[in-house]
Amino acid sequence: MIPSFFKIGLQRIGLLLIVYFFCRLLFLVWNWPQYSMFQVGDLLRAFVHGVRFDLSAILLTNSVLLLLWILPAQVWRWKWFQRLELALFGIINFICIGSNFVDAEFVQFIGKRSSYDILLIRQDLQQQGFSVISTYWYFLLALTLVVAVVLWLSPKFKNLREPQGLARQLGWRLLVIGLIVTGARGGYQFKPLHPMHAYFSKHHQLGLLVLNTPFNVIRSKPRGRIESQRFFASDKEAVDHLRQMTELSRPPLKLLPKANVVVIIVESLATEFVGAANPYDGYTPFLDELAKESFFFKFNLANARRSIEGLPAVICGIPAIMSEPVITSDFSNNRFDCLPRILDREGYSTHFLHGAHNGSMHFDTFSRIAGFENFVGLDEYPKDNPEDLDPYWGVLDEPMLQYAIRLLDQEKDPALISVFTLSSHHPYYIPPQHRGKFPKGPLEIHESIGYADYAIREFFRVAKTKPWFNNTIFVITGDHTQKFFHQEYNWLLGAYRVPLFIYAPGLKSSQVTYDPDRITQHIDIVPSILDLLGVTVEDRLLVGQSVFDTAKPGRAYCFASPLYWYVDDHLYLHMDRAGGVIDIQSNKNGINVSPDPVDQEKQESALKNLKSVVHYLNEGLIRNKLHDWRKE
């Protein structure tokens, strides 16, 4: 006879598989704009592939319960033990099913399934938990109902029957353990199931649909390591190729020596929101005006989808290159010559301002790693005016930007000040005195982008009255994108498009030649600033290049786990970890793929470019030699 625990276990696992199926269906429907272009067959394949990941996740997350289920039948005669097991079953699967519910929405913010590194920002999650629940209360209600139905339908461990004989009882349990291990590892293949196995197609979105969040969190646990990826016979060969790609084709411009530098990183400022970059009105009327006076790059791409990774790209020139943010990895003790450290050697005072709670997103830690002399978070910001604070995150954008002006007023030496705004982060708080002033738009974030734009307008209105204004380089960009409304942004590269403004009021337009349609990226910001300042760094990072060097073509690249992408004036490609091309398409008019055939020579050149970047960064991080390339 088949023992009762085996039948009950199968029924419960089958019930959870059905629930996970509906979670995947929710993910698909909730993010339908990303999937509407796919054939029904592609979507069905994703659902079929997903069963394997669902079974693995269910067995892994319920592993403690699985061990309880195979205990002798005598144990299940205790009522308290039955209630304890059912409670654990409910709690564990409430969390796991809930994570799938959350990711149906959260994927629109980070462009991927949540992974283990979500735990790195657990303090922020705790602080914002109430506001998130109040906004998405319907998710919590639906989740509660689903888990209640699961508990109601789940067969209970009572009146259990066992086969006769100790050998049979032991044999069944050994069989069950073997099945659990096999299902948890995803089969009998050489290596256990991994998130990268979800990408059965060249389309990133289908891989996200295949995955479930509990599996991705468990299997993506970072250990602060990256694999050695040597695409060249020697490190010197990779370095030499990168130098040809990124070194200036001329001496540094040195048009603004010893100028102040102000870097404003606007939370979630996507290019889609900026009217100056699009054929429709946006939500940034001041930035639209500033674009006319600035070096404005509408085809700029972020090198990450999260703030904790975007910040090192902007300030240090380090793109996201692994699943874990570099500043929280074991490589955080590596040598990184970031912009504040470089300018400190030139006699600059350096300040980093972020108005959230100290410890939020590890930005206070980052400021020390990057070499900032001073950090201003919520703890350091003056508390004499309570209206400067929102009830959720910390210091509002307008007062924090005005505080940056006061810091510049106090400085005798040239200064670097970086301000990371926060008002355009959920829950998108608008100060009472400004409510109703900004267009709400179809997305919740739009009104807060209008407020951020207003705060920047007020910053420049006051800054223009200061004696240091004409001797300052202002850089404005977004840290990453968020949700999308327009279809042309609803693809992988669209999800990385953030605007880049470099405004130097002390320069005449005739002094600098630039291409407004150039493809640029976050890691180009540091070399571009140094180019204007005339600061030469012999052991610089080799992956970014000055946007003002028109003799060198623009390009952008990033790691979007588990693949790499690359784009230049000619093509867009996806490369796997082994260096194989997953997808390649022709590129026209900025960042617009076309069905035209890709020139073989250009394809080989682009692939070599991307391989040199990955080789240099991975080997440089592993051996802490990013800045010691001259020794190769």
Side-chain angles (χ1 to χ4, degrees):
M1 63 171 286
I2 300 175
S4 298
F5 74 81
F6 188 81
K7 295 179 181 178
I8 294 172
L10 282 182
Q11 291 171 10
R12 286 200 180 183
I13 292 170
L15 183 60
L16 289 175
L17 283 171
I18 293 172
V19 173
Y20 273 60
F21 167 84
F22 280 106
C23 287
R24 184 168 287 106
L25 188 62
L26 169 67
F27 188 93
L28 173 64
V29 172
W30 200 257
N31 298 282
W32 181 247
Q34 294 187 39
Y35 294 97
S36 58
M37 72 289 294
F38 291 110
Q39 300 293 323
V40 173
D42 293 327
L43 299 177
L44 288 176
R45 285 181 66 196
F47 272 74
V48 171
H49 276 274
V51 174
R52 188 179 175 201
F53 292 84
D54 293 348
L55 180 60
S56 177
I58 290 167
L59 294 176
L60 288 169
T61 56
N62 290 273
S63 55
V64 173
L65 293 174
L66 295 173
L67 294 176
L68 295 181
W69 294 353
I70 63 175
L71 290 176
Q74 293 87 336
V75 176
W76 294 100
R77 295 172 183 170
W78 301 327
K79 294 289 186 183
W80 67 267
F81 194 79
Q82 296 177 22
R83 292 171 185 153
L84 174 63
E85 183 277 332
L86 190 63
L88 286 175
F89 181 70
I91 292 170
I92 289 170
N93 289 290
F94 182 91
I95 294 171
C96 295
I97 297 168
S99 68
N100 280 320
F101 272 57
V102 168
D103 256 9
E105 171 71 8
F106 196 42
V107 71
Q108 300 182 31
F109 293 82
I110 63 173
K112 66 170 192 171
R113 287 277 187 171
S114 295
S115 52
Y116 179 83
D117 50 26
I118 196 73
L119 301 178
L120 299 173
I121 57 171
R122 56 185 178 273
Q123 182 180 356
D124 295 330
L125 296 176
Q126 292 168 358
Q127 292 170 352
Q128 301 304 313
F130 179 77
S131 66
V132 171
I133 290 172
S134 63
T135 301
Y136 300 106
W137 58 268
Y138 43 85
F139 270 10
L140 179 61
L141 177 61
L143 171 63
T144 303
L145 291 174
V146 167
V147 175
V149 170
V150 169
L151 291 176
W152 179 56
L153 293 177
S154 294
K156 309 304 185 289
F157 282 86
K158 57 184 180 180
N159 302 321
L160 302 184
R161 299 178 62 191
E162 293 263 28
Q164 296 295 319
L166 181 61
R168 290 185 179 181
Q169 294 176 12
L170 181 60
W172 272 106
R173 283 167 172 79
L174 290 175
L175 173 64
V176 167
I177 292 173
L179 292 174
I180 291 171
V181 172
T182 302
R185 74 186 307 276
Y188 292 105
Q189 70 281 350
F190 180 66
K191 289 188 176 182
L193 197 63
H194 186 274
M196 67 184 301
H197 296 140
Y199 295 86
F200 68 92
S201 130
K202 66 182 182 181
H203 299 291
H204 186 70
Q205 299 98 315
L206 291 177
L208 297 180
L209 186 60
V210 169
L211 286 168
N212 63 73
T213 304
F215 178 87
N216 204 52
V217 170
I218 293 170
R219 290 299 194 189
S220 65
K221 182 176 179 179
R223 293 173 175 83
R225 296 191 299 112
I226 51 179
E227 295 179 5
S228 177
Q229 290 178 278
R230 304 185 63 84
F231 296 117
F232 293 80
S234 67
D235 294 342
K236 184 179 185 303
E237 187 179 346
V239 164
D240 287 346
H241 184 76
L242 276 176
R243 292 182 65 180
Q244 293 176 5
M245 283 172 57
T246 63
E247 279 189 351
L248 286 171
S249 62
R250 48 154 176 78
L253 292 172
K254 202 175 183 179
L255 295 172
L256 292 166
K258 296 294 183 181
N260 299 305
V261 178
V262 175
V263 180
I264 301 174
I265 305 170
V266 183
E267 172 67 47
S268 300
L269 177 64
T271 303
E272 183 189 26
F273 305 152
V274 180
N278 297 289
Y280 49 79
D281 292 337
Y283 301 88
T284 58
F286 175 73
L287 290 180
D288 293 346
E289 296 172 15
L290 190 67
K292 300 172 184 177
E293 304 176 41
S294 305
F295 305 108
F296 173 52
F297 300 92
K298 61 183 177 181
F299 295 122
N300 183 68
L301 291 109
N303 294 107
R305 287 295 305 276
R306 297 176 295 177
S307 302
I308 198 171
E309 294 172 313
L311 190 54
V314 173
I315 298 299
C316 302
I318 304 172
I321 202 67
M322 56 184 172
S323 298
E324 185 179 2
V326 68
I327 64 175
T328 57
S329 73
D330 290 343
F331 303 117
S332 61
N333 291 320
N334 282 21
R335 176 189 171 188
F336 299 117
D337 282 4
C338 304
L339 184 62
R341 200 176 304 280
I342 294 169
L343 295 187
D344 177 71
R345 297 196 293 259
E346 300 294 321
Y348 280 66
S349 60
T350 57
H351 309 261
F352 183 78
L353 283 59
H354 182 245
H357 295 271
N358 290 43
S360 177
M361 299 297 293
H362 299 278
F363 283 175
D364 50 350
T365 302
F366 164 79
S367 70
R368 293 191 295 271
I369 293 172
F372 280 101
E373 181 183 1
N374 303 293
F375 172 79
V376 177
L378 183 59
D379 291 355
E380 293 80 11
Y381 185 83
K383 305 298 190 300
D384 50 345
N385 187 0
E387 293 183 355
D388 288 355
L389 311 181
D390 69 25
Y392 303 100
W393 278 101
V395 187
L396 291 159
D397 289 358
E398 184 183 3
M400 182 56 92
L401 285 168
Q402 294 299 316
Y403 183 79
I405 290 176
R406 295 199 296 273
L407 284 180
L408 277 167
D409 285 342
Q410 297 168 8
E411 288 297 340
K412 296 180 181 179
D413 298 321
L416 162 66
I417 293 184
S418 180
V419 184
F420 199 120
T421 71
L422 53 72
S423 295
S424 45
H425 192 291
H426 185 275
Y428 316 116
Y429 179 80
I430 307 295
Q433 68 272 25
H434 294 304
R435 290 172 189 168
K437 291 183 179 180
F438 315 112
K440 292 186 179 296
L443 297 181
E444 193 177 6
I445 191 177
H446 285 154
E447 185 181 13
S448 65
I449 289 294
Y451 169 66
D453 180 76
Y454 167 81
I456 296 171
R457 178 191 294 273
E458 288 301 294
F459 169 82
F460 278 102
R461 181 184 65 80
V462 177
K464 286 181 179 179
T465 67
K466 302 297 182 178
W468 44 258
F469 179 70
N470 284 329
N471 191 41
T472 302
I473 300 169
F474 300 92
V475 177
I476 303 172
T477 190
D479 60 334
H480 54 69
T481 61
Q482 213 224 47
K483 290 184 180 180
F484 307 101
F485 180 73
H486 295 90
Q487 189 63 32
E488 60 264 34
Y489 287 91
N490 190 25
W491 70 296
L492 187 139
L493 288 190
Y496 286 86
R497 287 187 62 185
V498 294
L500 173 59
F501 304 79
I502 301 178
Y503 177 45
L507 286 182
K508 296 179 181 178
S509 58
S510 59
Q511 290 180 275
V512 181
T513 301
Y514 93 107
D515 177 9
D517 293 327
R518 179 187 181 94
I519 295 175
T520 61
Q521 54 186 332
H522 270 160
I523 62 174
D524 293 339
I525 290 175
V526 171
S528 301
I529 292 172
L530 298 179
D531 192 15
L532 291 176
L533 295 175
V535 175
T536 301
V537 181
E538 290 190 353
D539 48 0
R540 66 180 180 88
L541 282 175
L542 295 175
V543 288
Q545 60 190 115
S546 173
V547 299
F548 301 112
D549 190 357
T550 54
K552 295 286 184 75
R555 57 180 67 86
Y557 32 78
C558 190
F559 173 68
S561 180
L563 306 173
Y564 302 94
W565 60 256
Y566 172 99
V567 63
D568 62 22
D569 290 335
H570 306 293
L571 55 83
Y572 152 77
L573 67 81
H574 243 145
M575 183 184 83
D576 62 24
R577 288 179 178 271
V581 175
I582 301 297
D583 183 25
I584 186 165
Q585 300 182 56
S586 183
N587 180 31
K588 282 189 173 181
N589 303 321
I591 305 175
N592 298 285
V593 296
S594 75
D596 295 346
V598 178
D599 181 88
Q600 185 65 28
E601 184 178 346
K602 290 183 172 61
Q603 174 180 334
E604 292 174 359
S605 175
L607 191 59
K608 186 175 182 180
N609 290 345
L610 182 54
K611 285 181 176 180
S612 66
V613 170
V614 176
H615 183 121
Y616 163 75
L617 286 173
N618 283 21
E619 294 300 312
L621 284 173
I622 290 169
R623 297 188 290 147
N624 193 15
K625 295 184 67 175
L626 286 175
H627 297 280
D628 292 336
W629 47 266
R630 290 185 180 275
K631 298 177 182 178
E632 297 298 335

